[in-house]
Amino acid sequence: MTTEPDWNNTSYLLGWDGLRGVLAENWRLALASLELYGPALLIALVIAAVYWLLYAGTRRLMLAVTRRTLQDPERRSMVQHFLDILLKLTLLMLATISVLAVTPGITNYAGPVLRVYLLFLLLLTGWSALRFFLDRQANRWNLDTSLTLLLNNVARILWVTLGIYMIFAQFGINLLPILGGLGVVGLAVGFAAQDILANFISGITMLLDRPFRIGDWIRTADREGQVTGLTLRTTRIRTRDNEYISIPNKELAGSVVTNLSQCGPLRVSLVVGVAYKTDVERARAVLLNAISNQPDILHERPIQILVHDLSASSVDLLIRFWVSPDHISTYPVITMQVRERAKAALQAAGIEIPFPHLQLHIDSAEGLRELQDRWPFPPSARTPDA
């Protein structure tokens, strides 16, 4: 039976009666839930406070015992970190089981929570053993930091995925259908993100091929810097101007990369020109004397000064010297300093450093005779050809 609307009731027309009815119904439901779950919630808060106080006291006792028994700071910190995690997990498990035991409707989850706790301990212990094994194998096979980091990240992802699957399995939830659906979605996303996949594959290729390592100085077509990081998407370098650059792996894998650090000392070359009338041996002696006192170059290896080219206006001398791996980061500055010393030494020795110039010889100038006749100089000052 339906009631006729009261068109004369303002509260009804504005919807206030309906709003009051909804609020009253929800208030009754809230009171019923509070009556049912209120005592359990209060007990849960008391249990949480008790376990928190127990954790604080036990942790303080644990720290005091480890300070007295372990003298090595690094080892003490590692043990304290492990015991703190174990204490947190244990008390969290006990608190959760205690709360579940007094909460109506969810008391059956106490067993799965206990199994999840034991599974957490197993996963943590297994990850520590697996990481120790991976680090040991990386040292055995002399893998660089980038590849070791890749192996650790892949192993961590697989280990976490296995742990999540096993944890959900304790509550009767099968994640395989969900993972299958995610695989289909991932395939669709992969077609839409081809650049990301290309950078990913290029990153794996460079990690396996190892054209450079973290800390090496590299040079590409338009960049030069020190490798500070290598991820599966980008390679990060720091330039000499302290600029931080992220280069997509696809771009780096498809270009020519020069590794300045891999072979140890680096040879640097620069060209200095002298006049044709200069004795090459004398210029070589002057330059050797000037450069031999240059700091930051590798004096264990000989400095070479050779004739590089006979150019249009100068004899180009090639100066070749070596810098140690520690000075690769500053070799452009060292090159400028050597060039400055070479210029000062040549000028002090009176050796000309030529610059390009042009001489014009005119064999016949019939068209200029009229202009020459009007020249203001007297005929006696003119050349015989005039």
Side-chain angles (χ1 to χ4, degrees), residues 209-225:
D209 188 46
R210 292 188 294 174
F212 49 80
R213 303 184 181 187
I214 294 178
D216 288 352
W217 283 87
I218 63 172
R219 180 194 300 142
T220 62
D222 53 354
R223 300 179 182 92
E224 184 173 323

Side-chain angles (χ1 to χ4, degrees), residues 55-107:
Y55 165 73
T58 308
R59 184 175 183 273
R60 180 174 297 181
L61 178 62
M62 179 265 294
L63 293 177
V65 172
T66 52
R67 287 194 193 101
R68 292 184 178 182
T69 56
L70 298 175
Q71 302 299 326
D72 185 10
E74 184 177 356
R75 185 179 180 185
R76 182 173 63 244
S77 176
M78 182 177 61
V79 173
Q80 288 176 350
H81 180 69
F82 174 76
L83 292 178
D84 187 50
I85 293 178
L86 181 62
L87 182 62
K88 286 180 180 178
L89 289 177
T90 303
L91 294 180
L92 180 62
M93 182 270 301
L94 294 176
T96 304
I97 292 178
S98 300
V99 171
L100 291 175
V102 298
T103 305
I106 57 175
T107 57

Side-chain angles (χ1 to χ4, degrees), residues 137-379:
Q137 293 300 316
N139 294 330
R140 178 182 178 185
W141 292 98
N142 195 25
L143 300 180
D144 61 0
T145 307
S146 302
L147 193 55
T148 303
L149 182 62
L150 172 64
L151 292 176
N152 287 331
N153 289 337
V154 172
R156 183 184 294 110
I157 293 174
L158 294 178
W159 196 257
V160 170
T161 303
L162 177 63
I164 293 175
Y165 174 79
M166 296 177 66
I167 289 172
F168 275 90
Q170 306 306 315
F171 297 95
I173 302 176
N174 187 9
L175 294 180
L176 289 179
I178 300 177
L179 293 177
L182 290 177
V184 175
V185 174
L187 184 62
V189 172
F191 283 106
Q194 296 183 8
D195 288 340
I196 297 177
L197 289 177
N199 290 324
F200 178 81
I201 296 174
S202 299
I204 294 179
T205 302
M206 288 193 297
L207 286 172
L208 295 176
D209 188 46
R210 292 188 294 174
F212 49 80
R213 303 184 181 187
I214 294 178
D216 288 352
W217 283 87
I218 63 172
R219 180 194 300 142
T220 62
D222 53 354
R223 300 179 182 92
E224 184 173 323
Q226 186 179 30
V227 180
T228 59
L230 180 60
T231 67
L232 295 178
R233 192 183 67 86
T234 60
T235 298
R236 297 162 186 175
I237 65 173
R238 180 179 58 85
T239 67
R240 291 185 173 86
D241 297 330
N242 206 28
E243 297 173 339
Y244 189 76
I245 302 177
S246 295
I247 307 175
N249 289 331
K250 181 182 70 172
E251 177 183 339
L252 201 60
S255 62
V256 178
V257 179
T258 303
N259 193 325
L260 305 177
S261 304
Q262 188 170 1
C263 296
L266 179 68
R267 186 169 67 183
V268 182
S269 302
L270 62 94
V271 176
V272 175
V274 296
Y276 268 92
K277 63 182 179 180
T278 305
D279 183 17
V280 174
E281 290 297 331
R282 181 168 176 265
R284 181 183 290 114
V286 170
L287 292 174
L288 281 174
N289 183 59
I291 301 173
S292 60
N293 298 323
Q294 171 67 34
D296 300 333
I297 69 174
L298 200 61
H299 294 284
E300 288 78 8
R301 299 200 177 190
I303 300 173
Q304 294 180 317
I305 300 179
L306 307 171
V307 176
H308 174 65
D309 191 17
L310 301 177
S311 61
S313 58
S314 65
V315 177
D316 295 335
L317 300 180
L318 179 67
I319 304 175
R320 301 201 296 186
F321 57 92
W322 296 81
V323 295
S324 65
D326 296 333
H327 292 96
I328 290 179
S329 60
T330 58
Y331 87 87
V333 177
I334 298 174
T335 304
M336 298 174 193
Q337 293 173 348
V338 170
R339 186 179 289 112
E340 183 177 347
R341 279 175 172 260
K343 178 180 181 298
L346 292 176
Q347 286 182 339
I351 298 177
E352 180 184 354
I353 302 177
F355 56 89
H357 59 278
L358 180 65
Q359 293 182 351
L360 181 62
H361 299 275
I362 302 177
D363 294 334
S364 177
E366 295 294 335
L368 299 177
R369 289 192 177 275
E370 182 179 355
L371 180 62
Q372 192 176 19
D373 292 337
R374 299 177 184 176
W375 197 254
F377 294 110

Side-chain angles (χ1 to χ4, degrees), residues 6-7 9-20:
D6 188 2
W7 301 107
N9 190 346
T10 304
S11 298
Y12 175 81
L13 293 177
L14 295 177
W16 291 349
D17 291 344
L19 179 61
R20 283 197 296 267

